[in-house]
Amino acid sequence: MTFRFVDPEVGFTSDVIRDPRRFVGRTALIQDSIAALNSSQGLIAIYGKRGVGKSSLMRQIQALATGNYELVRKAGLAHLIPSRPRKYYTVYYACDSMIKDASELIKRLCNDTDPEDGLLRLVPDQGKQLSEFSRTNEDQVGLDLKLLKWGNKGQDAQKYSSCVPGDLIQTFRNFVSSIVESNNRLFSKRDSVLILIDEFDVIKDKTGLGSLIKSLTSDKVKFGICGIGKDLGALITDHQSVARLIEQGSVNVRQMSPQETASIFETASLLSGGLLKFTISAVERIADLSEGYPYFAQLMGKACVTEANFRGTNNIDDIVLEAVLDKIRTGRAFPNLESQYQNAIGSSDDRALLLTLFAEQSRDTTEYDASIGRVILKQSRSAALDLGIDYIDQLVPRLIEERYGPVLEKVPGTRGSYEFTDPVFRCYVKLRKVGN
Ligand SMILES: Nc1ncnc2c1ncn2[C@@H]1O[C@H](COP(=O)(O)OP(=O)(O)O)[C@@H](O)[C@H]1O
Ligand SMILES: [Mg+2]
């Protein structure tokens, strides 16, 4: 077949995945999500490492919640779709580190005017116009209500009659309790509101969040939270208070299996209309190098397509992959990861070498074992000495300092044991050649 230029973004993306056609694997998690959505109460809690695919799963849950089960059919799980699935009006909010605590979070939710995901768009008000919509350029995805226009009341939450000045929690309750009834009068019938909160881990003071969520959860309101963490306790400190809510909705997103990673490439080939072809051996190598982190696989996929375009071919084989790996080795492939790398090593080849030793020491597997993925300082000492680095203790601090990343963090309750804060960065360091 003759060569055609392919836009790398056609098959690959480093964004959160909304379009179910791009979403691969995760069958068991989808199954759990259907169950969680179809129970009348309960809290959905999604946790796992950075770059593993949590937010993408959360977006798929949002689509399921609105009644779009395309993903489930695609995964061959149509038999799991209830005859009358519970349907939700959905809110999606991503936290940032400026949110100090619970009341700040509620305040943000009450003031979120995002036209596709914000809470205020659902709150009844004569001054605004809602419309049922399907997300632009991804037809059929996440059919939900979109705010067309704010009226003369503007975007000021204070002007709602159900707003109780000085009492955020009550205002939130009033807002939320009005949503289902008032929107059902205008639109298709839905059962409840689903409030999805992403990046939940960045909220500094999580005191009382669990019991707050519990008290706000009802037949008409369900919460879903998502964030980085090894377990539920990392997300909600007072998780005992939500223990019973969470029975069905606890979703631990782990690394993808090599087969799941391979599906990313099958999907990319499909999305390109069959134009892109990947050899089995190239895909297997990428799956191995990305260690189950779809983020790295997507980056590699994009880089391979760019390289193949450059070479005038649509066949991605070991030769193309090798050229990409060569660019990674010399820091020319992924500018973001490279600047993280440079920032961390601070123009010290010795520190770069040490970082590489650390990265090689640990490897995540899909098996659950907390100690896998750890870096034990002691274990790299002799290797470092062999390489002529004899002042390790002066090299390490920069790696754990916040303003330089941090790329490592101490594992609480251990001595001299660290973990890469970003497993994708660790994959990168393994491939990066020192001193180039
Ligand atoms: N199920 C999936 N299928 C294909 N790619 C995925 C999937 N889940 C995540 N990705 C890709 O992995 C990267 C990280 O996903 P994201 O959901 O942002 O992870 P997290 O929220 O855990 O950091 C993105 O590039 C996304 O496109
Ligand atoms: Mg995320």
Side-chain angles (χ1 to χ4, degrees), residues 12-17 22-26 48-58 60 198-199 226-228 253 256 260 263-264 267 293-299 424:
F12 299 99
T13 176
S14 39
D15 281 341
V16 171
I17 294 190
R22 281 178 181 266
F23 188 88
V24 312
R26 308 300 197 190
K49 294 193 175 170
R50 193 187 298 262
V52 82
K54 301 176 299 299
S55 298
S56 300
L57 181 68
M58 184 109 136
Q60 301 307 313
D198 200 356
E199 321 279 345
C226 175
I228 296 169
V253 185
M256 284 186 165
E260 285 180 303
S263 309
I264 293 179
T267 303
Y293 289 91
Y295 185 63
F296 203 69
Q298 296 272 4
L299 283 180
V424 169

Side-chain angles (χ1 to χ4, degrees), residues 75-133:
L77 299 172
H79 58 284
L80 294 177
I81 306 175
S83 57
R84 198 202 158 283
R86 272 180 84 80
K87 280 177 81 176
Y88 297 79
Y89 294 107
T90 68
V91 170
Y92 190 104
Y93 191 79
C95 300
D96 56 68
S97 55
M98 302 294 284
I99 300 179
K100 290 196 307 284
D101 54 17
S103 75
E104 187 101 16
L105 172 65
I106 298 294
K107 185 165 150 197
R108 291 286 202 93
L109 285 171
C110 285
N111 286 289
D112 185 17
T113 57
D114 187 282
E116 292 183 10
D117 290 319
L119 175 69
L120 274 187
R121 84 189 198 286
L122 297 170
V123 175
D125 170 40
Q126 287 149 352
K128 63 190 207 285
Q129 268 175 39
L130 281 162
S131 86
E132 200 127 14
F133 85 113

Side-chain angles (χ1 to χ4, degrees), residues 299-315:
L299 283 180
M300 293 288 288
K302 258 202 261 189
C304 284
V305 177
T306 305
E307 181 65 31
N309 280 334
F310 176 72
R311 290 167 176 254
T313 175
N314 295 129
N315 295 326

Side-chain angles (χ1 to χ4, degrees), residues 161-314:
S161 54
S162 49
C163 170
V164 184
D167 191 339
L168 272 172
I169 307 281
Q170 193 54 44
T171 299
F172 181 79
R173 277 182 202 279
N174 292 351
F175 279 8
V176 169
S177 66
S178 62
I179 287 176
V180 175
E181 201 196 323
S182 62
N183 287 300
N184 275 357
R185 253 183 263 130
L186 294 164
F187 300 99
S188 52
K189 298 272 172 282
R190 300 196 189 171
D191 307 278
S192 177
V193 189
L194 177 66
I195 298 177
L196 298 169
I197 308 170
D198 200 356
E199 321 279 345
F200 200 79
D201 56 291
V202 305
I203 302 173
K204 286 201 191 72
D205 178 5
K206 301 196 183 66
T207 317
L209 267 167
S211 61
L212 179 65
I213 286 177
K214 187 184 172 194
S215 76
L216 293 170
T217 296
S218 73
D219 215 28
K220 292 268 183 286
V221 188
K222 189 194 281 289
F223 283 86
I225 60 174
C226 175
I228 296 169
K230 283 189 201 30
D231 49 35
L232 212 58
L235 276 194
I236 334 175
T237 34
D238 54 342
H239 61 279
Q240 292 85 349
S241 57
V242 289
R244 287 186 49 202
L245 282 181
I246 223 148
E247 264 158 29
Q248 275 192 301
S250 174
V251 184
N252 183 0
V253 185
R254 299 189 185 158
Q255 291 93 290
M256 284 186 165
S257 68
Q259 293 85 331
E260 285 180 303
T261 308
S263 309
I264 293 179
F265 294 84
E266 279 161 37
T267 303
S269 181
L270 278 175
L271 291 169
S272 73
L275 219 53
L276 292 176
K277 294 204 168 50
F278 302 88
T279 64
I280 292 173
S281 128
V283 170
E284 277 177 356
R285 275 184 76 196
I286 297 174
D288 186 48
L289 297 172
S290 53
E291 298 186 22
Y293 289 91
Y295 185 63
F296 203 69
Q298 296 272 4
L299 283 180
M300 293 288 288
K302 258 202 261 189
C304 284
V305 177
T306 305
E307 181 65 31
N309 280 334
F310 176 72
R311 290 167 176 254
T313 175
N314 295 129

